[in-house]
Amino acid sequence: MTAEAMTVPSRQDVRSLLGKFAETAAGSRQLSHPPVIRQFWEDAGAAGLLAPAEAAGPEWRRFSLVVAEELGRHWLLDLPLWLQSDVLPTVLRLHGTPRQQALLPEFARGSAVVSAALSETANASSLTGLSSTARPVGDGYVINADKRNISNAVIADHIAVSAGIGEDGPTTGLFLVPRNTPGIEVTQTSMGLGLELLGTGTVTFTDVHVPAEALLGGVADAGGQLQSAMALEWFFLALMSNAAAWSVVAETYTRVNAPRGAGPLLGHSSVRQRVAELVSRLHTVTALMRTLGAGYVETGTAPADLAAVSKNEAAQVLLAALDLESGLRGAADLTASPATSRTDVDGRRRAAAAQALAGGATHALHGVTLAGLAARVGQEPII
C-alpha cells in the first residue's frame, strides 16, 4: 500500500507512539547504541511517521508538523524524524534524478536511513569554503572529506555529502552515496547527555570513488539545491522547541500553583509576573509557528528569513522557560525543606533564587492574571 492510499494517523496515535518512545528512552541504559537508535527509526517508519517522504501532499505535510510538535512535547528533541520525512525528500523531489528519487519509498518505510554530512570542523553547515573535495575523474569523482557532528551518521544507509568540485574557484556539489562504499568511515561521537538519539558521528571519506550519477541531479549546485531544505530544517527545529517550551510552562504552572504551608508560589505577584511574561512570549512565537506552518502545508516551503528568526526566537524562549522552571523548582524545594543549611552553597543559591522570585511588591499586576492564560497552557495544539 502506498503512502497516498494510507489514512493519515491522528494526533492521538502520534502522541501514543511517541509516549512509548519517550518511556523507552527514559528507561534505556544503552540509548546511544546504534542498534537501539536504528530501532526507533524502524518503528517510526512502520507506524507511518516517515510516510510524507513518499506522499508529499498537504495533509501529509501537516502530519509532519504534528509529529515535530509532539516530539517536542515528549522531549524527544534528539529524534529528528523530519530529516527523512520532509527535509531531504524535498531536495530529492526537486533536484534528484529518477534513480535517486527511487529511494523515497525506502525512507518512508524506515528501511533505509539517510544522513546529511555538511558540517566540518571550521565550517558549520556552510556550503562555501569547504575543505572537502570531489575531484573529477573519467567516470565520476573521488571524494575526500572530513565531516563532523553529523546526525544519523551511525545508522545511515545513504549519506548526502557536500564537497567542492574543481581546483580554481570550486563550485559545491551534493553527492548521495551509499554508506557501504569503500573508503567511508564513521566514528560515533557524543553531543552530550539527552542527545543520544541523534546518532552523531564523524564521517570521513578517503579517496572514495563514486560514479557521476552520485551527484545530485547531475548538477553541481548544492547551495541552490539545499537552500529551501535548510529553511525547512530551521522551521522544524523551531516548532519542536516551541512545543517543548509549552510543556515546560505547563509543568511550571502546576508547580507554582501547588498548595504549600506558606501558600502557592503563584500567590506572589513577582512570580505571577514572571510566568505571565513568559507565556506572553510563547504566544508570540507560537503565532509565528502557526503562520509558517500554514504556509508549509500549502506550498511545501518555508521562507528562509522567517524560518531563521523562528528558530532563534523559539530557542531563546525555551531557554527562558527552562531557567524559570529551574528557579521555581529550587524555591519550591527549599520552602518544602526548611532545614537546609546556611553553609551549604547550593542551598544558599536556592535561597537567593527563592527570595528573588517570591519577594518584591505585593501590588496587583494591573489586571493581568494567570488564570486565563495558564488554563490553556500547553493544551491547544500549535499546528
Side-chain angles (χ1 to χ4, degrees):
M1 180 181 293
T2 65
E4 289 87 343
M6 293 170 55
T7 301
V8 180
S10 68
R11 179 182 292 269
Q12 190 55 48
D13 291 336
V14 175
R15 186 169 294 176
S16 176
L17 179 64
L18 292 183
K20 294 177 181 177
F21 279 14
E23 290 178 7
T24 301
S28 175
R29 296 184 179 181
Q30 300 180 324
L31 196 58
S32 62
H33 289 202
V36 176
I37 302 172
R38 181 65 183 241
Q39 190 62 55
F40 276 89
W41 282 80
E42 291 179 355
D43 291 347
L49 300 191
L50 304 175
E54 191 176 5
E59 62 177 349
W60 283 100
R61 287 196 290 267
R62 184 183 184 282
F63 171 70
S64 289
L65 302 185
V66 170
V67 172
E69 181 183 341
E70 293 300 326
L71 283 169
R73 292 189 188 280
H74 286 87
W75 281 96
L76 291 167
L77 305 183
D78 53 342
L79 193 61
L81 299 178
W82 60 86
L83 287 176
Q84 185 156 321
S85 64
D86 290 68
V87 175
L88 289 173
T90 296
V91 176
L92 288 182
R93 286 194 194 91
L94 292 176
H95 307 289
T97 64
R99 178 173 292 186
Q100 291 164 344
Q101 293 172 351
L103 292 171
L104 290 173
E106 294 183 48
F107 296 162
R109 291 192 298 269
S111 57
V113 175
V114 63
S115 177
L118 307 179
S119 298
E120 300 179 355
T121 302
N123 205 339
S125 296
S126 175
L127 297 172
T128 59
L130 297 176
S131 61
S132 302
T133 61
R135 177 172 52 86
V137 296
D139 57 348
Y141 301 86
V142 173
I143 301 176
N144 283 278
D146 185 24
K147 302 292 187 175
R148 304 299 179 97
N149 301 321
I150 306 304
S151 300
N152 280 353
V154 300
I155 61 170
D157 301 288
H158 300 272
I159 300 174
V161 59
S162 58
I165 301 176
E167 297 180 355
D168 299 322
T171 55
T172 302
L174 188 69
F175 298 84
L176 190 59
V177 185
R179 163 67 180 84
N180 59 5
T181 303
I184 298 178
E185 181 180 358
V186 176
T187 303
Q188 186 167 8
T189 56
S190 173
M191 293 291 285
L193 185 65
L195 296 175
E196 296 92 342
L197 289 175
L198 280 175
T200 310
T202 294
V203 181
T204 304
F205 284 63
T206 304
D207 293 331
V208 176
H209 183 273
V210 301
E213 63 188 24
L215 180 63
L216 186 70
V219 179
D221 184 25
Q225 293 166 338
L226 287 175
Q227 184 177 20
S228 61
M230 295 182 80
L232 285 183
E233 168 77 344
W234 299 335
F235 168 48
F236 274 87
L237 285 170
L239 175 59
M240 184 182 66
S241 298
N242 188 211
W246 275 116
S247 71
V248 174
V249 173
E251 180 180 342
T252 299
Y253 179 73
T254 298
R255 187 182 301 277
V256 298
N257 206 31
R260 300 179 305 122
L265 286 173
L266 196 57
H268 296 276
S269 61
S270 58
V271 174
R272 292 200 304 274
Q273 184 170 5
R274 290 283 300 278
V275 179
E277 289 171 351
L278 179 60
V279 170
S280 179
R281 285 183 64 187
L282 262 174
H283 276 299
T284 300
V285 178
T286 301
L288 177 57
M289 294 296 102
R290 286 175 172 152
T291 299
L292 289 173
Y296 177 63
V297 170
E298 181 179 354
T299 67
T301 62
D305 52 352
L306 291 180
V309 168
S310 71
K311 177 177 177 289
N312 180 68
E313 290 300 312
Q316 293 298 321
V317 78
L318 175 56
L319 290 174
L322 288 169
D323 285 345
L324 179 59
E325 188 275 339
S326 178
L328 288 169
R329 174 163 37 86
D333 292 346
L334 181 69
T335 54
S337 306
T340 303
S341 171
R342 290 181 59 85
T343 62
D344 177 67
V345 175
D346 183 59
R348 291 169 65 189
R349 290 175 62 189
R350 291 161 65 194
Q355 172 63 22
L357 286 164
T362 58
H363 61 274
L365 291 177
H366 305 291
V368 177
T369 67
L370 274 183
L373 282 173
R376 302 195 315 271
V377 163
Q379 300 303 312
E380 291 184 353
I382 297 171
I383 297 300

